[in-house]
Amino acid sequence: MALHGRKASSASRTRRVTRRVNDSMIGSHVERSPSGRPRHAASAGAERASRVDFSDSRRSRRANRGMVEQVDVAATSGESDSDFARRRSRRGYVEEIQARTRRRKMAFLGAVAALVVVVAAVAGTMAFFAWSDSQLSLGDSNAKEALVAAEDGAASYALLVADLTTGATAPNDTDKAYMAVRIDAASRVLTFVTIPSSVAVELSDGERHALSDAQSVGGDAELLRAAGALLGIEFSHFASTNAEGLSRLVDIVGGVPVELSEEVDDPRAGTRVLAAGAQTLDGAQALTLLRASNYADALETQAKMRALFTVNLAERAASGEGLAFPSVVADGSAFVSTDWTSGQIIAMGDAFSPLTDATVYAAVVPGRTVDGEDGAPATFEVAGDELASMMEAVKSGQSPQAAEADLANVDRSLVTVEVRNGSGIQGAAARCGELLTSDGYEVASVGNVDDGAVYPETLVIYKDEAFEIAAKAIVSDLSAGRVVNGGDFYHFDTNVLVIIGSDWIG
């Protein structure tokens, strides 16, 4: 049987195919012109080269016969040298443009990524402050009705309020704590003035009440106006908390260090006893300190303890590094109600940091506690002239004790005093004279008032302005009285005249 298959290629056919392949492919050879100069096929037209050169003579002979065994990847194109150079130049330019475009895209994507990070950080910060501010807000309080913005760069005043009532102890007369603070960031001076909660003030209903009744009469705005009128200032800020809030704030900052000058042991304040000396108070111990009032000099010592605690609490909160203080503000915002924003609190912390290097003063409104009649609660009667002198020092950024220092410098042995009894209580003038003599004054005479009237308050009268400071010293020493410039209304031969009123208790 005959087998039919593909016809075998002859040698001539193979050479023809090889030549056609050679003509259509880029080989590892370079065609030569008759002049021996290399040229590209595009410029040769249809004319074929008469000779093809290879580095190997055998391969040259085989190539001339139309046999090509290898195609080199480094073969040249069929364009002229000038066209080839221009193409290469254009390709390099295009590649450079493409590279620049890629670099620009990468830079743009990097900038977009950085912007996204910044926007996320800003959004997070805004969310943080918004949340903190919502916690700090005054809520239903009407305090903003009474707040007056301070002038730019000037010191401002804030009223701090704490309700220290706890379920574990019986209510105390001093459970309501009121403290006015003068804030002078430019001079880095803080002045704390404690206001007794039982101080008698006139409220909007026209009646005299204890300051602690103000909120029940007209809310926080009533309290701000009454306390401001008492001190002769206007408040720009308000902050309040309660016993639980204070305890939590103390625990948030890890305790508050204090240096106690005496042991604190007041059953009405709590069951804990605080030893004298340096210690760090937890929340429950802090409440005991703030509520205690059975000191030898109750009001003044309590005021100093509360001011000391407040300053140390602020120092403890602001003493951390980095985000520590903002974190404390955020954690404590749920326990404080205030018109301050978290940003303002943080800025104030930065302005006074470190607080240990700032100047801090503390004082209490001068006066005395007077027992109520017919079972009425005791009230605190303010020594008006002393308070006015003290607040002059406070407003000028000086120590509240500056006025007290002036009184201490009075040479009492050079001051002559006449004492008259206008209280209706027999022997009151003699007792007052004895007290003044023991304080170093020269008491010229004692007796009753000429008009036989009963005076409701004790008057300490001077005529010569040189003895105004002496009259204030007598008020301070007696813990009673109102300084009066007698002018032509009173007649006496001594430097100062004291008329005992029914408010004085010898």
Side-chain angles (χ1 to χ4, degrees), residues 4 18 55 84 96 187 214 224 229 245 342 395 397 413 436 505:
H4 298 280
T18 301
S55 60
F84 176 74
E96 178 63 24
S187 300
L224 284 160
S342 53
K395 293 174 185 178
S413 65
L436 292 176
I505 301 175

Side-chain angles (χ1 to χ4, degrees), residues 7 75 79 97 119 127 154 192 196 198 224 241 249 362-363 371 381 407 444:
K7 185 178 181 180
E79 60 190 339
I97 292 297
V119 170
F192 295 85
S198 60
L224 284 160
T241 187
L249 288 173
D371 292 332
E381 296 293 338
L407 298 181

Side-chain angles (χ1 to χ4, degrees), residues 377-454:
T379 58
F380 184 85
E381 296 293 338
V382 175
D385 291 308
E386 288 185 57
L387 176 60
S389 299
M390 185 186 79
M391 290 307 299
E392 286 179 10
V394 170
K395 293 174 185 178
S396 63
Q398 299 177 2
S399 168
Q401 283 74 37
E404 296 180 12
D406 291 339
L407 298 181
N409 291 330
V410 172
D411 188 346
R412 287 156 172 77
S413 65
L414 300 179
V415 179
T416 59
V417 183
E418 180 179 342
V419 182
R420 293 288 177 261
N421 186 1
S423 67
I425 302 173
Q426 186 176 359
R431 176 58 180 155
C432 181
E434 292 173 359
L435 292 175
L436 292 176
T437 299
S438 65
D439 287 331
Y441 298 94
E442 182 182 343
V443 178
S445 63
V446 297
N448 295 322
V449 292
D450 296 334
D451 56 10
V454 174

Side-chain angles (χ1 to χ4, degrees), residues 51-187:
R51 183 167 59 87
V52 179
D53 291 338
F54 281 87
S55 60
D56 187 281
S57 59
R58 180 173 174 275
R59 290 183 179 181
S60 285
R61 289 193 302 271
R62 290 176 64 84
N64 286 332
R65 292 197 301 268
M67 301 178 68
V68 179
E69 297 174 342
Q70 178 179 332
V71 176
D72 195 334
V73 295
T76 60
S77 66
E79 60 190 339
S80 65
D81 292 342
S82 60
D83 290 341
F84 176 74
R86 283 194 297 272
R87 181 173 62 79
R88 289 293 301 271
S89 177
R90 287 196 299 273
R91 185 174 66 183
Y93 177 74
V94 170
E95 290 175 349
E96 178 63 24
I97 292 297
Q98 291 174 340
R100 291 179 183 175
T101 302
R102 285 194 297 271
R103 288 194 295 268
R104 288 172 182 164
K105 286 182 179 179
M106 292 298 294
F108 174 75
L109 291 176
V112 170
L115 181 61
V116 169
V117 172
V118 171
V119 170
V122 171
T125 302
M126 292 178 64
F128 166 81
F129 283 114
W131 181 84
S132 298
D133 292 347
S134 67
Q135 296 291 306
L136 290 168
S137 67
L138 290 170
D140 296 334
S141 170
N142 64 348
K144 287 188 176 181
E145 297 176 8
L147 297 179
V148 179
E151 297 181 3
D152 291 340
S156 61
Y157 293 89
L159 182 63
L160 309 183
V161 178
D163 184 351
L164 302 176
T165 305
T166 65
T169 56
N172 194 318
D173 292 340
T174 60
D175 278 350
K176 292 290 184 69
Y178 304 114
M179 189 178 296
V181 186
R182 180 182 182 273
I183 304 167
D184 188 347
S187 300

